[in-house]
Every structure is written in structure tokens, then in C-alpha cells.
Amino acid sequence: TKNHACRMGAFRLNGRRLRPRYPVKCVNPVAEGVSSNKMRGIYPYYGASGIVDYVNDYIFDEDLILLGEDGENILSRNMPLVFRVSGKTWVNNHAHVLRPTINCHIGYLTEYLESLDFSIFNSGTAQPKLNKKSCIRLPVVLPPLPEQRAIADALSDADALIAALDAMIAKKRDLKQAVMQQLLTGKTRLVGFTKEWRRLELGSVAKFYKGKGLPKSAISRTGAHPCIHYGELFTHYGVLINTILSRTDFNVGSLTSRRNDVLMPTSDVTPVPIRLTQTPTRASGPRHGGH
């Protein structure tokens, strides 16, 4: 595959006109995809958001940076948009492939690019997209190479700590799940409790309400009312909602949430209750749209 240098224009930083050095080469062209004779194998096959399959052939055998070219992740950033790959790999045409030049540390550049807000470079309409022309002109600020290495090492250590904490959390989550199966079914009783459990219908212990349909076009970051949209339950929120991300000026009626309300999607997916913990009063709670 023929390489060519990415030409990067001058830009301004804090009022100063700077002309960045050329820290990467763009590998061109990127493979269009896996053909029918590329059967499952041992080599990772990358797309815009990471590994999507394993195949029996490869087109790269080196350390590279991949930048997702299209998809909702450009805006939502639910997963890394920029990531580092090593060794024998196949990359499809949904990711830009970057090879850092000798004066640029691959770890530093990966972290730097991942820290950027790519939504301002989005050139897509129906679907978010980062075209090659915009990516080539991305401003990159490089400290001296030894400082790049030091920054990359520090951030790598932080990632390792986060990974260890995530593993610990996952282990404790599995433990909690096992305990729940015992405690919430009455198979195991806590010390000091012996009275018989009652069996009731959900409608007798909780009141049911339903949100009102809210188009995505009515959601903003600056609206008058906090708002939780149906789709955000799966793309933005976890089991507990502590901070409401979206707002709206749309009139969805008087229904608002109280602290500790439980939100349950009613269609399209397996219902998973999500507890709302952000709003202390009904008057100041978020509106609900489409769930």
C-alpha cells in the first residue's frame, strides 16, 4: 500500500498562529472490506469502533492508529473513537489508518486525538462522518518527544489502574447478582428475620405513569426543562441516573420525575429498570419522552 504524508495547514491556538509539524502519515487506500474468500481466522478485523471479526489474512503488520470514519460514535463517544492497534491486522474502509512519523510518539498521538471533540468536524448529514480532508487538517500540538513519551506513560498507567478497578467492579457485580438470587427470592433470609413474605401485584405497590412522545429534534442542551428521551436510556445512562444530560423546550405535559422513580422501557428491547436519583422534587424533575 502506497503511503503519502498528511499535509496539515496552519491554525490558531490561544490567539497565536501556529504551523504544526507533520506527525502522521495516512495509509492510503484503506481496504474496502473483507472479500468472500477471507474466511474466519486468527487476525483481528477492525472497523470504526474496534474489532468486529477475525479473518485468515491481514494487510498491516505494525503499530498503527485507527480513527473511526463514520457512525453515531463520532457524536455520542460511547466507546473510543481513536485506538491503537499492533501486529497483523485487517482494517476495513470505516476507519482512517494513521502511521505516526518518527518525531511523534504513537501513544501520545492516540491519547491526544481521543481527547478531541470530533463533532465539530462532522461532515455527515444522515449519518455522522469524518472525511479524510477534515482529518488531514486536524490541529496537532506536539511537545518534545521525551515529554510525549512521559505523557503517554502516565496516561497508560492511569488506563491500567482503571482496567484493574473495572475488573474488581465486575467481580463484585457478579457477587451481588448471586446474592440477589438468594435474598430476593427468600431462599436465604438475613439474620433476625423470620416473618412470612407476602405476594402482591406490582400495581399495588407502585403507581404506573407513561411518558409522552418526544422527537429527537426537540432535544437540546439549553432547553428550559430537563428531559430523558427513550433512546438515551441505552446510549447515555447506566442503571442509576444521577445527572440529566438533555433538555427541551417542548411541552410534554405535567408529568415529571421524583427522586427514586423507576424508569422501564416498554418496547423494542428487553425491559431493564433504571432508577432515577437526580431530582428531589416532582416540580423540578425531568420530562419523559418516548418511553
Side-chain angles (χ1 to χ4, degrees):
T1 304
K2 186 177 180 180
N3 302 332
H4 68 281
C6 293
R7 300 188 63 81
M8 305 175 67
F11 65 99
R12 291 186 178 275
L13 179 68
N14 297 329
R16 296 174 55 199
R17 181 175 174 83
L18 302 176
R19 182 172 296 278
R21 284 165 278 181
Y22 307 140
V24 298
K25 290 183 178 179
C26 296
V27 180
N28 179 50
V30 177
E32 288 296 329
V34 175
S35 61
S36 58
N37 64 340
K38 297 294 185 295
M39 307 300 291
R40 291 186 61 85
I42 63 174
Y43 304 113
Y45 171 62
Y46 285 91
S49 300
I51 297 175
V52 295
D53 206 344
Y54 287 85
V55 295
N56 66 353
D57 201 357
Y58 61 92
I59 54 177
F60 300 109
D61 186 7
E62 56 187 304
D63 289 344
L64 296 165
I65 299 173
L66 304 187
L67 168 59
E69 181 178 343
D70 49 33
E72 175 60 29
N73 193 44
I74 292 173
L75 304 180
S76 65
R77 302 300 288 271
N78 290 321
M79 58 187 71
L81 184 64
V82 183
F83 45 97
R84 181 176 173 178
V85 301
S86 300
K88 296 179 173 65
T89 57
W90 188 292
V91 183
N92 68 19
N93 63 326
H94 295 285
H96 297 290
V97 182
L98 309 178
R99 178 182 293 127
T101 54
I102 193 170
N103 65 331
C104 183
H105 189 277
I106 188 171
Y108 171 84
L109 185 59
T110 303
E111 296 287 356
Y112 177 86
L113 292 175
E114 176 62 15
S115 73
L116 299 180
D117 177 9
F118 284 94
S119 64
I120 60 177
F121 303 105
N122 174 34
S123 60
T125 52
Q127 175 169 276
K129 183 177 180 63
L130 298 174
N131 62 41
K132 184 176 179 180
K133 182 178 179 181
S134 297
C135 292
I136 287 175
R137 297 186 62 84
L138 285 172
V140 177
V141 179
L142 293 181
L145 189 56
E147 189 173 0
Q148 292 181 48
R149 292 195 186 96
I151 292 173
D153 289 345
L155 295 177
S156 178
D157 290 343
D159 284 339
L161 177 59
I162 292 171
L165 292 174
D166 285 343
M168 182 183 299
I169 291 171
K171 184 179 296 185
K172 292 187 179 299
R173 186 180 293 116
D174 291 341
L175 176 61
K176 178 189 174 183
Q177 189 67 31
V179 172
M180 287 172 62
Q181 293 298 322
Q182 295 297 314
L183 293 180
L184 298 181
T185 59
K187 294 179 180 178
T188 299
R189 302 291 297 273
L190 295 175
V191 176
F193 295 92
T194 58
K195 289 185 178 181
E196 185 178 354
W197 288 24
R198 294 183 297 164
R199 290 185 175 275
L200 304 170
E201 293 184 349
L202 181 57
S204 66
V205 296
K207 292 183 178 180
F208 277 74
Y209 300 91
K210 187 171 179 60
K212 184 176 181 180
L214 184 67
K216 287 185 177 181
S217 59
I219 298 175
S220 71
R221 300 289 182 182
T222 59
H225 312 292
C227 159
I228 299 175
H229 191 269
Y230 167 82
E232 294 176 333
L233 295 178
F234 311 102
T235 59
H236 292 77
Y237 296 118
V239 176
L240 295 179
I241 300 178
N242 294 301
T243 302
I244 307 302
L245 301 178
S246 298
R247 304 185 71 86
T248 184
D249 289 318
F250 195 76
N251 182 10
V252 294
S254 60
L255 176 62
T256 56
S257 291
R258 293 176 177 175
R259 182 185 295 272
N260 289 326
D261 278 357
V262 176
L263 308 183
M264 180 178 289
T266 58
S267 61
D268 293 341
V269 295
T270 302
V272 178
I274 300 177
R275 184 152 61 94
L276 178 70
T277 64
Q278 192 265 351
T279 51
T281 66
R282 189 175 181 85
S284 62
R287 275 64 174 171
H288 301 296
H291 56 271

